[in-house]
Amino acid sequence: MRQYLDLDKRTLEKVVCNQCGRELRLENGILQEGVFSGEARWGYFSGKDGEKHTFDLCETCYDQLLKSFRIPAAVEEETELI
Ligand SMILES: [Zn+2]
């Protein structure tokens, strides 16, 4: 869950993990730790027609989510880090 200082959503004020409720570390509006930001746009053939869902997970909760998968997530090495 993200809160912004401005209506344009350019400057982060707060990022909270939707799973555990922990506030992630921010410095001058820049996240200082890893986060998973999920977004789902549900269309006509879903039961949530027209809804957009967004959430954030801290790295610990992300790891717990992935452990629950029957088929592991695909993992690749990236040379350009964000
Ligand atoms: Zn969490």
Side-chain angles (χ1 to χ4, degrees), residues 10-22:
R10 291 180 184 207
T11 308
L12 277 171
E13 179 181 27
K14 183 193 271 191
V15 180
V16 176
C17 174
N18 285 73
Q19 179 66 32
C20 70
R22 183 174 69 79

Side-chain angles (χ1 to χ4, degrees), residues 17-22 24 56-62 64:
C17 174
N18 285 73
Q19 179 66 32
C20 70
R22 183 174 69 79
L24 280 68
D56 293 286
L57 295 177
C58 70
E59 192 169 2
T60 300
C61 291
Y62 175 83
Q64 288 174 355

